[in-house]
Amino acid sequence: MESLDLIGWAGSALLVWSLLQSRLLRLRALNLLGCLVLIGFNAAVGVWPMVGLNVVLCAINIWYLWRMLATRHDDKAYQVVEVRTDDEFLGHVLRSHHDDIVRFNPTFTPASLTRRDAAAFLVANGDEVVGVVVFHVLESGVAQVDLDYVTERYRDFTPGEFVFRRDRYFVDRGCRTVITPPAMRAPYYDRLGFQRDGDSYVLELAGAARG
């Protein structure tokens, strides 16, 4: 097999592999890479309709990648909805993603929702739930996070930040500090101003200092 054929097969393999991705950002990035490889391959063999097709697909992928990256920290793109800890829809979300939740938040159990002063939040992108944050208030004025979960499609994003960036969710409950769950897999808290403390991260709330 000639090297040019190998390039064509590699581009096709990248396209197929991209469609198997559950993470949106990774899907678009791999699809874009596959299209770029196939543009070069089809131009080399003179198959211009396929060059045109892949140019269009590249433009579509670039548009979606730009849109996803430009809105990943945008309050207008992600909405936080506070729900009761016994809310039926919250329970449905937790049951539907149970295995994945245990994988990334090994210390979380549904019993956390029955703790005194527990609070629960759903993070949505449009009408799709993309994250769940659950915490309870300790007597020392600490908000202990029990669950910070991101659905697999949005695993390359940090939707939980839209809860942590709003001090009022914690300050209104008398909290001065937020502590994340220990042993959480793939934490992102250092990007939000949290400081590492053993297996957890700690955030001192600016809103608490203002009273």
Side-chain angles (χ1 to χ4, degrees), residues 167 171 175-176 205-211:
D167 288 3
V171 174
C175 298
R176 301 182 301 274
L205 298 172
R210 294 192 297 267

Side-chain angles (χ1 to χ4, degrees), residues 78 80 123 130-131 148-151 154 157-163 188:
Y78 293 86
V80 177
V123 184
V130 301
D148 181 8
Y149 173 69
V150 181
T151 61
Y154 286 79
F157 302 90
T158 56
E161 72 176 271
F162 296 100
V163 176
Y188 58 93

Side-chain angles (χ1 to χ4, degrees), residues 28 138 156 158 165 181:
R28 290 294 177 184
L138 303 177
D156 295 315
T158 56
R165 278 177 12 192

Side-chain angles (χ1 to χ4, degrees), residues 36-52:
L36 290 171
V37 172
L38 288 176
I39 287 174
F41 170 76
N42 286 299
V45 298
V47 184
W48 300 109
M50 294 304 295
V51 171

Side-chain angles (χ1 to χ4, degrees), residues 61-81:
N61 281 313
I62 290 171
W63 162 252
Y64 276 104
L65 281 168
W66 173 83
R67 186 175 179 183
M68 283 188 284
L69 293 173
T71 61
R72 67 187 307 172
H73 304 296
D74 189 350
D75 288 325
K76 296 179 181 178
Y78 293 86
Q79 300 296 318
V80 177
V81 181

Side-chain angles (χ1 to χ4, degrees), residues 120-197:
F121 302 83
L122 298 176
V123 184
N125 185 338
D127 60 357
E128 180 180 3
V129 174
V130 301
V132 183
V133 174
V134 175
F135 70 85
H136 69 280
V137 180
L138 303 177
E139 292 182 359
S140 55
V142 172
Q144 174 62 62
V145 179
D146 300 301
L147 174 65
D148 181 8
Y149 173 69
V150 181
T151 61
E152 191 171 6
R153 280 165 52 85
Y154 286 79
R155 193 62 45 75
D156 295 315
F157 302 90
T158 56
E161 72 176 271
F162 296 100
V163 176
F164 300 122
R165 278 177 12 192
R166 298 173 184 173
D167 288 3
R168 63 181 178 85
Y169 292 139
F170 305 96
V171 174
D172 289 352
R173 292 175 167 85
C175 298
R176 301 182 301 274
T177 306
V178 179
I179 300 179
T180 66
M184 178 183 172
R185 192 172 163 190
Y188 58 93
Y189 302 110
D190 53 340
R191 288 176 268 167
L192 302 180
F194 284 76
Q195 300 297 317
R196 187 78 185 238
D197 184 10

